[in-house]
Amino acid sequence: MQPEGDELAPQVEEDEPDRVPVESPPAPAVSSAPVNGSAYRPVGGSAVSLAALWNDADRQRIKARWQELQLRFIDDPHLVAGEAERLVQDAVVSLTASLDARRGQLHQQRAARGLDTENLRASLRDYREFLDRILAL
């Protein structure tokens, strides 16, 4: 015998009175932070620009070059696709150099701070923020 009400609700058989319907686990939370956006919010921190990972001159140069390639695509798609590949390669090299420079700065800051626990905590905080920025890319 079916109880009256919502037909899609879990049903309990009459011959199994101790059985309780099992609910599905809640869906995992979806982050509202943009994955490829221009900012991220580290845990307990404020929004920080992902653009800060880039050398500003290189970032502007790459963006301008990309816009120019898009405009030229119709005239020579094959040539522009090859240039786009090289532009992406240049962007990866530029970003890698910027990330490595920041890593070097963090190392120098940690070395200059000394070994007391408070200074090491500050260094760890800086490393966490940098890693959060990398992971947000």
Side-chain angles (χ1 to χ4, degrees):
M1 180 169 117
Q2 299 256 346
E4 293 181 22
D6 188 354
E7 293 180 10
L8 298 177
Q11 304 298 315
V12 177
E13 297 290 326
E14 286 183 21
D15 59 337
E16 298 181 56
D18 294 337
R19 188 173 144 214
V20 177
V22 178
E23 294 182 20
S24 302
V30 177
S31 171
S32 61
V35 173
N36 293 324
S38 62
Y40 81 103
R41 190 172 304 278
V43 175
S46 60
V48 176
S49 173
L50 288 176
L53 292 174
W54 288 85
N55 171 307
D56 193 50
D58 285 344
R59 186 174 54 84
Q60 292 299 328
R61 178 186 55 81
I62 290 166
K63 285 175 70 172
R65 182 76 176 126
W66 178 251
Q67 290 172 347
E68 186 256 325
L69 288 175
Q70 289 179 0
L71 294 173
R72 290 187 24 235
F73 180 77
I74 299 255
D75 296 331
D76 195 345
H78 187 268
L79 177 67
V80 170
E83 289 180 30
E85 182 178 355
R86 286 186 292 280
L87 180 61
V88 167
Q89 182 179 0
D90 290 347
V92 169
V93 168
S94 175
L95 180 58
T96 301
S98 180
L99 291 170
D100 196 45
R102 179 63 181 139
R103 183 200 52 79
Q105 290 171 348
L106 289 172
H107 172 74
Q108 289 175 351
Q109 287 173 354
R110 183 177 63 87
R113 282 182 174 144
L115 299 177
D116 72 65
T117 303
E118 183 58 26
N119 289 334
L120 293 173
R121 186 195 64 75
S123 292
L124 190 62
R125 182 200 61 225
D126 291 345
Y127 281 120
R128 181 193 67 217
E129 289 173 0
F130 182 58
L131 188 57
D132 284 347
R133 291 168 75 185
I134 292 170
L135 295 173
L137 291 177

